[in-house]
Amino acid sequence: MALDQTRIDALRDRPLGDMKNFIDGEWRSSAGGDRMDVTSPGTGAPIATLIDSSEADVETAIAAARRSFEAGVWSRMAPAQRKATLFRLAALIERDALELAVLGVRDNGTEISMAIGAEPGSAAATFRFYAEALDKMNGDITPTAPGILSLIHREAAGVVGAIVPWNFPMMIGAWKSAPALAAGNSVVLKPSEAASLTLLKLAELASEAGVPDGVFNVVTGRGSAGRIIALSNDVDVLTFTGSGAVGRQLLHYAADSNFKPVHLELGGKSPNVVFADCGDLAAVARQSARAIFANSGQVCVAASRLLVQDAIYDEFLTHICAAADQTIVGDPLSVGSQSGAIGTAAQLEKNSAFVERARQAGDKVLAGGDPISAEGFYFRPTVIEASSENSPIVQEEVFGPILSVQRFRDEEEAVRLANSTTYGLASGVWTQNLSRAHRMVERLQAGVVHVNCYGGADITAPLVGHKQSGNGFDRSFAAIEKYQKRKTAWIRTA
Ligand code: NAD
C-alpha cells in the first residue's frame, strides 16, 4: 500500500480512552478494576489505558471460550462457512489497514513503512491462507487387517490460549489465532501489556466478520493474566511467542495443571555470515544493516551478529558503520523514518546497559551507542566490535538496534562461531559460491538460513526455533495441526 502522510497524520491523534476486554462478543469492564497506562514510544506520552485483567476477568474469557466450543457454534460449523467467515475477517483487516497500522505504531513504535505490511498486511494474508487451508485437510484410514476399519479423525483441540509479545502483535497474534480458528477452536488471546490495541481491534473485526460470540476473546494484562491462562485446566493448548525466561515458566505451568501442549517461539541471536566472495560489498552491507536496524532491531529474527571474513573485514565494517550512521531514526509515524522508536522505556534502558557492559568487557563501539535525546524512546543504530566470542553482546539477545561484529578466517571458523550461542532461530549467508551456500544451509543450527538476502519470509514457510529459540513453529499449512487432536475410530466390520 502506498503510504499517504496526510492520511496518517489525520489518524495519529485519534482519542482512544479507556479500553476494555473483548469477551463473549462484547466489550467487558474489569471485575477487579485495575488499569494500566499505554505510553506511546514515539512521543513518550500516555494515549490510553488498558485493563490489567484479574483472575476473574481471565476466567470469564476462558469460560466463554469453553461454552462456545462445547456449543459447537464454530467448532461444528460447516467448514465452508468457517472459511467464508475468515475470508471476511481478512477483508475487514484490509479495509481498515491504515487505521490498524497507525494504531499499532502509536502503541509500539515500529516505523509505519514496515508496520503497514508486517502488521495488517501479514495478518490479512495469514487469515486468508488458513481460511483457504481449512477444507483441504482429510483424515486417514490406516492399513489394518481385513475386518477392521481404522479411521483417524482430526478434531479441534478445544480452547486455545495464546500469549504474544509487543514487537509485531497483529502478525504474531494472527499466526496463532488464524490456524487455531481455522481448525475450529475457540481462542483466548492475551497481548503484551506494551502492545494490545490492534489485537483488541482485531477481536472486534472478527465479531463483525461473523465469528460467533465467545469464539475469539482478547484479555489485556500483565504476565499475571498470562499465568492464569497457562495454569488453567480449561485451556487445552497453549501457544506462546516471547522470551525464553517466560517460555520456561509456561512449561512449569503446564506441568502444574493439565499437561497442555505448549508451543514456544522464543528469542534469537542470529548470525549473518558474510564471505569475501559475497559480491557487491556496499550492497550487502546495506541489506545487512536493514536486517538489524529495521524496527530498531526489535525483531526476533534480527541479524544481530555480523560475521565477516578477514579479507574484506575492514572495508565491510566501513560500509556497515556508514549504513548505521545513515539510517533515518525518528517519528515512527513519518513515512520517511527507516527506524522508529524503542518499544518501551525499559527496553531503551536495556540498550544503554548493554552498550555499557560491552565497553566494560573491552568491546569497541564503532557506531552509535547512545539514546537520541528526543521526546519518546529512540536509540542510535549501534555497531560493536566484540573482543571475544564470549562477550555478552555476542551471546545475549538485546532486542534492540545493536549489532555485534566478529571476524573469521574460513568456512570452518564461520560455522563454529555462528553456532556458538544457545539460540537457533535465524541466520544469513552471503556468498557467490553455490556449493558453499548449500554446505552452510546444512551446517548452520537455525530454523531458517537466508542465502544472499535476509528476511522477507511469508506465511507459506514455517518459522522454526532450533535449540533454545523454541520447541515448535508458527506459519505454514502444518501449523493447523498444532491446534488439533487426533482420534482413532477402530471399527469391526466383519
Ligand atoms: P516476554 O516474554 O517478556 O512477554 C511475552 C508475553 O508473555 C507478554 O504478553 C507478557 O505479558 C507475557 N508474560 C510475561 N510473564 C508471564 C508469565 N509468567 N506467564 C504468562 N505470560 C507471561 O517477551 P516480550 O518482551 O514481549 O517480547 C520479546 C521477546 O519475544 C524476545 O525474546 C523476542 O525474540 C521474542 N520473539 C520471538 C519471536 C519468534 O517468532 N520466535 C517473534 C517475536 C518476538
Side-chain angles (χ1 to χ4, degrees), residues 273 275 277-279 429-434 436-437 440 451-452:
V273 183
F275 285 96
D277 63 2
C278 68
V429 177
W430 302 82
T431 178
Q432 301 290 310
N433 179 329
L434 184 65
R436 169 180 282 151
M440 292 298 286
V451 178
N452 295 330

Side-chain angles (χ1 to χ4, degrees), residues 283-350:
V284 174
R286 268 197 309 278
Q287 292 174 73
S288 297
R290 289 303 301 148
I292 174 66
F293 299 129
N295 198 17
S296 306
Q298 302 166 136
V299 180
C300 55
V301 296
S304 52
R305 283 191 293 145
L306 179 66
L307 305 178
V308 185
Q309 196 161 19
D310 267 339
I312 56 164
Y313 185 82
D314 292 335
E315 189 180 348
F316 199 82
L317 252 57
T318 307
H319 287 300
I320 268 286
C321 290
D325 290 340
Q326 285 159 15
T327 302
I328 302 167
V329 184
D331 175 10
L333 284 170
S334 162
V335 173
S337 293
Q338 295 171 325
S339 196
I342 303 298
T344 62
Q347 198 66 36
L348 184 67
E349 276 171 29
K350 190 173 165 195

Side-chain angles (χ1 to χ4, degrees), residues 271-275 277-278 284 288 303 307 408 411 414-415 418 426-444 448-454:
N272 185 28
V273 183
V274 183
F275 285 96
D277 63 2
C278 68
V284 174
S288 297
L307 305 178
F408 64 87
E411 199 175 306
V415 169
S427 60
V429 177
W430 302 82
T431 178
Q432 301 290 310
N433 179 329
L434 184 65
S435 303
R436 169 180 282 151
H438 283 291
R439 283 196 300 274
M440 292 298 286
V441 170
E442 278 175 23
R443 297 184 71 192
L444 289 180
V448 55
V449 183
H450 303 96
V451 178
N452 295 330
C453 62
Y454 200 100

Side-chain angles (χ1 to χ4, degrees), residues 164-166 190 192-193 226-227 240-243 266-267 300 397 399:
V164 298
W166 50 266
K190 194 204 82 67
S192 163
E193 52 275 47
R227 183 170 170 275
F240 172 76
T241 295
S243 64
L266 308 174
C300 55
E397 183 182 48
F399 217 56

Side-chain angles (χ1 to χ4, degrees), residues 1 3 97 101 110-125 168 170-171:
M1 177 196 274
L3 284 168
T110 301
E111 56 276 11
I112 186 83
S113 57
M114 177 175 226
I116 187 75
E119 286 281 271
S122 80
F168 292 106
M170 274 207 94
M171 176 172 78

